[in-house]
């Protein structure tokens, strides 16, 4: 798809959305790269499929938001809904909907702890945190039947478009400022 253009080093894994611990694996790969390049100016772009379907974060994250009555301990939308466009519009019980949201929340929490938090800690350890711009955002949100469908890529409602954008600039006077 041409994503590698302009990079000195580019790595993409075909299993990125299948591996349950991909956020941790990506941190480990990125930390090796950062340690090697810490004395040079760099631009590092990291993308993870961790908080994407299928929802199967490792324990305890994959289970931390589950309620006792939730039947699914992990989930693949394709396995639940079937493949193809018309299947995105199937309705399920509120229990299943909340179960899927809880699994998704576990994916997000796992990514926060095993990728974002560790990356920020490593930048601090390497004394790069005060001179490095850090920008965190998401490629999209997920629809959990909010507008009568599942997933993303076929509608443009806020649950898909309204994603966080966190910017930490070196020496920024904007610390802790929130802009709606």
């Amino acid at each position: 798809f041409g994503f590698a253009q302009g990079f000195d080093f580019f790595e993409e894994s075909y299993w990125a959305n299948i591996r349950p611990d991909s956020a941790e694996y990506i941190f480990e790969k990125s930390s090796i790269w950062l340690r090697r390049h810490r004395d040079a100016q760099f631009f590092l772009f990291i993308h993870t499929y961790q908080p994407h379907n299928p929802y199967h974060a490792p324990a305890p994250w994959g289970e931390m938001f589950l309620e006792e009555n939730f039947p699914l301990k992990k989930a693949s939308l394709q396995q639940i809904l079937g493949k193809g466009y018309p299947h995105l519009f199937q309705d399920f019980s509120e229990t299943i909907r909340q179960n899927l949201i809880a699994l998704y929340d576990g994916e997000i929490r796992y990514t926060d702890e095993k990728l974002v938090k560790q990356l920020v800690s490593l930048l601090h350890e390497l004394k790069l945190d005060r001179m490095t711009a850090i920008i965190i955002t998401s490629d999209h949100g997920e629809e959990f039947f909010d507008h009568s469908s599942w997933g993303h890529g076929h509608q443009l409602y806020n649950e898909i478009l309204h994603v966080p954008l966190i910017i930490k600039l070196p020496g920024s006077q904007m610390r802790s400022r929130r802009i709606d």
Side-chain angles (χ1 to χ4, degrees):
F1 295 109
F3 295 136
Q5 294 180 29
F7 289 94
D8 295 328
F9 174 77
F10 182 87
E11 182 174 327
E12 184 175 25
S13 299
Y14 72 93
W15 48 259
N17 65 337
I18 298 169
R19 188 175 173 144
D21 66 343
S22 67
E24 186 172 15
Y25 177 80
I26 289 168
F27 167 73
E28 289 173 11
K29 297 285 278 186
S30 301
S31 68
I32 293 166
W33 189 93
L34 265 173
R35 289 179 192 283
R36 286 185 188 147
H37 295 88
R38 69 176 168 211
D39 294 326
Q41 288 187 342
F42 63 85
F43 172 81
L44 174 63
F45 174 82
I46 300 171
H47 180 274
T48 180
Y49 285 100
Q50 185 73 54
H52 285 69
N53 173 56
Y55 309 124
H56 57 163
W61 298 275
E63 302 157 2
M64 78 178 16
F65 298 104
L66 296 180
E67 294 182 16
E68 198 171 295
N69 64 329
F70 288 168
L72 305 171
K73 305 305 178 209
K74 60 183 180 177
S76 163
L77 288 179
Q78 289 84 355
Q79 289 176 346
I80 294 170
L81 299 170
K83 293 183 178 165
Y85 188 74
H87 299 291
L88 294 174
F89 302 95
Q90 292 180 54
D91 195 3
F92 290 102
S93 70
E94 184 61 16
T95 299
I96 294 295
R97 189 176 95 79
Q98 291 301 322
N99 190 166
L100 291 169
I101 292 170
L103 291 169
Y104 179 66
D105 289 346
E107 295 282 344
I108 294 168
R109 182 70 172 269
Y110 176 73
T111 303
D112 283 347
E113 290 186 20
K114 291 298 186 174
L115 177 57
V116 177
K117 181 179 179 180
Q118 290 190 56
L119 183 62
V120 170
S121 294
L122 178 62
L123 290 170
H124 180 72
E125 174 192 321
L126 298 175
K127 298 186 180 7
L128 296 172
D129 56 325
R130 294 183 188 220
M131 63 178 78
T132 303
I134 301 171
I135 302 171
I136 300 171
T137 192
S138 179
D139 54 347
H140 58 78
E142 287 289 292
E143 184 176 357
F144 290 97
F145 217 72
D146 303 271
H147 287 92
S148 303
S149 72
W150 300 92
H152 64 275
H154 54 279
Q155 297 191 77
L156 296 174
Y157 291 106
N158 275 346
E159 55 270 15
I160 305 298
L161 301 175
H162 192 153
V163 297
L165 174 61
I166 302 166
I167 302 172
K168 181 256 175 215
L169 299 172
S172 176
Q173 301 301 313
M174 306 296 278
R175 177 175 283 151
S176 301
R177 183 163 175 208
R178 181 185 171 109
I179 301 170
D180 290 328

